[in-house]
Amino acid sequence: MQILVPAFASVTLGITVFFVGAFLTRSVGFLKDYNIPEPVSGGLAVATLTWMYFYLTGDQIVFDLAVRDYLLVLFFATIGLNARVADLLKGGRLLMALLMLTVGFIVAQNAVGYLGTVLFDLPTPIAVLLGSAALIGGHGTAIAWGPQIEATTGFAAANEIGIATATLGLVLAALIGGPIAKRLIDRHGLEGSHDTSPIVGLEFKEKGEAPDLVNHISLMRSTLAAHVAILLGYFLHDGLDDAGLKLPLFVPCLLMGIVMSNTLPYALPRLTWPAGSKALAIISDVSLSVFLAMSLMSMQLWTLAELGGPLVAVLAMQLVLTVCFIGFVVFRGLGRTYAAAVLSAGFAGFALGATPTAIANMSSVTKRYGAAPLAFIVLPLVSAFFVDLANALVIQLFIGL
């Protein structure tokens, strides 16, 4: 039996989950010291409760996540609105380095998946469902490839393995990014700028400190700009789809936000533009926080228990690979700077989970150690745009072999 929680109640619970997570993160030393995002703490707590309810009653609690999808595109539209072409050009080397490292990691991730199929006597094409299709690709890619691999191999549990791998990967991604960044930052004595306007990840205010003034006009102006970017993103998405290029909706919305912020302020110099404002940063924080809280609270953890040992063993190998690759390759390859440490947290987020998890990891780090604006532009372009194309090619190659 399924108990459906309607959309309005789901988003309300998502907001509540964030505050539960904020309480847990600030109360539990480990969560605070290792920069575990608030939506992760609260979301995993609720997911555990729904698992216990399923175990006791046999009933599944299912959330209507329609609002969550809007929050995702809203968040990436705000990221695009904060991007400047000058910064993107300055970060060109960083973007290319991250892209090359990620492509190499996709191959390594599928190699570990292949090792898992050998150890547990599974059909070889299952390797990508234990690797990049489910981890770097996330739930969407796993769901897309699962039925095809099931039809090819006749292995009935292929789809379930892909979804379960993506789910467990998302949990791990949300938990390891902060600790990895903390170790790198503390070990190398790094720190970001506390004077730069935040893109996302507003710093915590100390008790008694006056809040920054944001009024309803600045919030409405920022929301309108983001909504226009989303509308244009829909048109671009449809055009790309017709041309045969399949991309997640939030990617065109991100791109249109970048286009708007690098044209309209120059074409209309008297226009008050929200880029770099606290109002836009607040909208970014709210949309990302509630999106991630809803994503994690809705996970059906009992599906992981049903698949048991082999899945856990392969994910443990993937976890070791990810931590070692970040520590020995990614951080060094990106220049051993503060931005490299922040991007290392983000790499952990999308290498095992999804782009929003990566952004949440980076946001949690920058709240504590200072801003890294370029990281929030470079990573989504790699993880949500270029990597989807590279991942599809590598998956095809592994399945063909």
Side-chain angles (χ1 to χ4, degrees), residues 180-329:
I180 287 174
K182 173 180 169 56
R183 176 171 175 78
L184 293 173
I185 290 170
D186 291 347
R187 182 176 181 180
H188 296 276
L190 304 171
E191 188 173 8
S193 171
H194 293 274
D195 300 324
T196 306
S197 298
I199 288 179
V200 64
L202 297 175
E203 295 183 10
F204 293 121
K205 294 293 181 184
E206 299 295 334
K207 289 185 178 180
E209 186 178 350
D212 295 298
L213 294 178
V214 177
N215 59 32
H216 66 290
I217 297 298
S218 61
L219 285 171
M220 291 174 66
R221 181 184 294 117
S222 299
T223 303
L224 176 60
H227 276 215
V228 172
I230 292 171
L231 288 173
L232 295 174
Y234 268 104
F235 288 117
L236 178 59
H237 180 264
D238 289 344
L240 294 173
D241 193 56
D242 292 339
L245 182 58
K246 307 291 184 181
L247 290 174
L249 176 60
F250 67 82
V251 176
C253 295
L254 170 71
L255 295 176
M256 293 313 302
I258 294 174
V259 171
M260 288 172 60
S261 270
N262 288 275
T263 55
L264 291 181
Y266 302 100
L268 303 170
R270 294 186 179 182
L271 179 68
T272 302
W273 194 245
S277 67
K278 281 291 180 70
L280 195 61
I282 287 172
I283 294 171
S284 293
D285 258 12
V286 170
S287 54
L288 176 63
S289 296
V290 180
F291 169 85
L292 196 58
M294 294 179 71
S295 296
L296 289 170
M297 77 183 191
S298 62
M299 290 191 304
Q300 297 179 334
L301 295 178
W302 56 86
T303 60
L304 306 180
E306 293 171 357
L307 291 168
L311 178 65
V312 172
V314 176
L315 263 295
M317 292 190 290
Q318 295 286 15
L319 177 62
V320 172
L321 169 68
T322 303
V323 173
C324 292
F325 191 82
I326 291 173
F328 293 106
V329 181

Side-chain angles (χ1 to χ4, degrees), residues 6-330:
F8 183 80
S10 295
V11 71
T12 304
L13 181 59
I15 297 170
T16 306
V17 163
F18 170 80
F19 285 108
V20 170
F23 171 78
L24 291 174
T25 298
R26 298 183 190 187
S27 302
V28 179
F30 168 82
L31 299 176
K32 182 178 181 179
D33 292 342
Y34 288 94
N35 310 304
I36 305 300
E38 298 91 336
V40 174
S41 305
L44 290 179
V46 172
T48 303
L49 291 176
T50 59
W51 183 12
M52 293 173 59
Y53 183 82
F54 172 77
Y55 179 77
L56 294 173
T57 68
D59 297 338
Q60 300 181 13
I61 298 177
V62 179
F63 300 94
D64 185 334
L65 301 177
V67 178
R68 184 192 67 168
D69 298 335
Y70 159 71
L71 293 171
L72 179 64
V73 295
L74 176 63
F75 169 72
F76 277 103
T78 64
I79 293 295
L81 290 172
N82 270 312
R84 296 188 307 166
V85 169
D87 292 334
L88 293 176
L89 293 176
K90 186 172 63 176
R93 189 202 67 81
L94 197 62
L95 188 148
M96 290 303 300
L98 182 61
L99 177 59
M100 293 174 62
L101 291 170
T102 305
V103 172
F105 184 76
I106 290 173
V107 176
Q109 204 170 61
N110 285 324
V112 170
Y114 173 74
L115 178 61
T117 64
V118 173
L119 292 175
F120 297 104
D121 194 26
L122 298 170
T124 303
I126 299 295
V128 298
L129 295 177
L130 295 170
S132 70
L135 295 174
I136 278 186
H139 285 84
T141 308
I143 291 170
W145 283 96
Q148 180 177 333
I149 292 174
E150 181 177 326
T152 302
T153 62
F155 188 72
N159 203 43
E160 287 74 14
I161 284 180
I163 294 172
T165 301
T167 301
L168 184 55
L170 188 66
V171 175
L172 295 174
L175 293 176
I176 69 169
I180 287 174
K182 173 180 169 56
R183 176 171 175 78
L184 293 173
I185 290 170
D186 291 347
R187 182 176 181 180
H188 296 276
L190 304 171
E191 188 173 8
S193 171
H194 293 274
D195 300 324
T196 306
S197 298
I199 288 179
V200 64
L202 297 175
E203 295 183 10
F204 293 121
K205 294 293 181 184
E206 299 295 334
K207 289 185 178 180
E209 186 178 350
D212 295 298
L213 294 178
V214 177
N215 59 32
H216 66 290
I217 297 298
S218 61
L219 285 171
M220 291 174 66
R221 181 184 294 117
S222 299
T223 303
L224 176 60
H227 276 215
V228 172
I230 292 171
L231 288 173
L232 295 174
Y234 268 104
F235 288 117
L236 178 59
H237 180 264
D238 289 344
L240 294 173
D241 193 56
D242 292 339
L245 182 58
K246 307 291 184 181
L247 290 174
L249 176 60
F250 67 82
V251 176
C253 295
L254 170 71
L255 295 176
M256 293 313 302
I258 294 174
V259 171
M260 288 172 60
S261 270
N262 288 275
T263 55
L264 291 181
Y266 302 100
L268 303 170
R270 294 186 179 182
L271 179 68
T272 302
W273 194 245
S277 67
K278 281 291 180 70
L280 195 61
I282 287 172
I283 294 171
S284 293
D285 258 12
V286 170
S287 54
L288 176 63
S289 296
V290 180
F291 169 85
L292 196 58
M294 294 179 71
S295 296
L296 289 170
M297 77 183 191
S298 62
M299 290 191 304
Q300 297 179 334
L301 295 178
W302 56 86
T303 60
L304 306 180
E306 293 171 357
L307 291 168
L311 178 65
V312 172
V314 176
L315 263 295
M317 292 190 290
Q318 295 286 15
L319 177 62
V320 172
L321 169 68
T322 303
V323 173
C324 292
F325 191 82
I326 291 173
F328 293 106
V329 181
V330 173

